[in-house]
Amino acid sequence: MSIDQAGLHTLLSTLQPKTNLAALKERRDNLWQKLNQQATNPSASQSDTKQIVAELSAADQQLQQATYNEVNRKLEIERCKREAEAAKKLREKEKKLAKHERVLYNASMNKLFSAIGNLSQYQALSGTGAVAPGAPGSGLPDKASEIDRDLKESVQFGIAAAEVARRRKHTQQKLAIEEARQNQTAETPLYTKTKKKKKSLNIII
């Protein structure tokens, strides 16, 4: 079963331990508690206090980084969802335009075939010589008018079909851009920048 980029990020976030932030907050709170106890303990050594302060500083940095990653993850999921929705709308629009284009093209061809049929009838009537062209009951003026009308409508439908085709091509180009953007997102590891930033932290456990 295929999965889109937004679904992948959502799945990964579900599989990841949700206790990460909670554990960091708990550790930070415990360090604050120990620091307060040190402050009220006359026998507490200065070195122990400095160690707790250093650990508390590292815990703060870890908590800030974890919070940043969590916010960034949520924003990334929302962005992927927006891109997927935009691509979906473009695909639906392209399908509708393609269907409309076929309808107009078929209408244009039908009118053209109608004009050819009327032209054949016109030639047959004018070639018999039984009735003079233009005489009452000959039907030639009506056929000539039908031929002219069919040709004009065929051209109009053809122009409309070409305009819809132009819009469909433009939609296809936009869709290709959206899909390329989604593929690029899928190939880019999440938190690439934040991982580099995490490596620079001096964490004391």
Side-chain angles (χ1 to χ4, degrees), residues 76-99:
E76 181 69 9
I77 291 174
E78 290 301 317
R79 185 180 68 82
C80 290
K81 287 181 178 179
R82 288 195 300 270
E83 289 181 357
E85 185 63 25
K88 180 181 177 181
K89 290 180 179 179
L90 286 172
R91 279 192 292 268
E92 292 175 351
K93 182 179 180 181
E94 195 274 337
K95 289 180 180 178
K96 290 180 180 178
L97 288 173
K99 183 179 180 179

Side-chain angles (χ1 to χ4, degrees), residues 10 101 112 126 134 143 147 193:
T10 303
E101 180 186 349
L112 181 59
S126 62
K143 285 299 177 184
I147 293 170
K193 295 182 179 179

Side-chain angles (χ1 to χ4, degrees), residues 78-189:
E78 290 301 317
R79 185 180 68 82
C80 290
K81 287 181 178 179
R82 288 195 300 270
E83 289 181 357
E85 185 63 25
K88 180 181 177 181
K89 290 180 179 179
L90 286 172
R91 279 192 292 268
E92 292 175 351
K93 182 179 180 181
E94 195 274 337
K95 289 180 180 178
K96 290 180 180 178
L97 288 173
K99 183 179 180 179
H100 191 196
E101 180 186 349
R102 287 194 298 271
V103 170
L104 291 171
Y105 176 79
N106 290 336
S108 176
M109 294 305 296
N110 288 337
K111 287 296 180 179
L112 181 59
F113 292 145
S114 177
I116 293 173
N118 285 326
L119 179 60
S120 297
Q121 294 179 20
Y122 180 90
Q123 291 173 340
L125 288 173
S126 62
T128 59
V131 181
S138 67
L140 293 178
D142 292 337
K143 285 299 177 184
S145 178
E146 289 178 10
I147 293 170
D148 184 63
R149 183 179 65 251
D150 287 342
L151 289 174
K152 287 181 179 179
E153 291 181 357
S154 177
V155 171
Q156 290 173 351
F157 282 126
I159 293 173
E163 174 59 23
V164 174
R166 184 192 65 80
R167 291 167 54 195
R168 183 172 62 84
K169 292 294 184 182
H170 180 67
T171 302
Q172 285 180 334
Q173 292 175 354
K174 292 175 65 176
L175 177 59
I177 293 173
E178 285 293 338
E179 290 178 340
R181 185 179 299 160
Q182 284 184 305
N183 292 335
Q184 184 178 9
T185 301
E187 294 172 359
T188 303

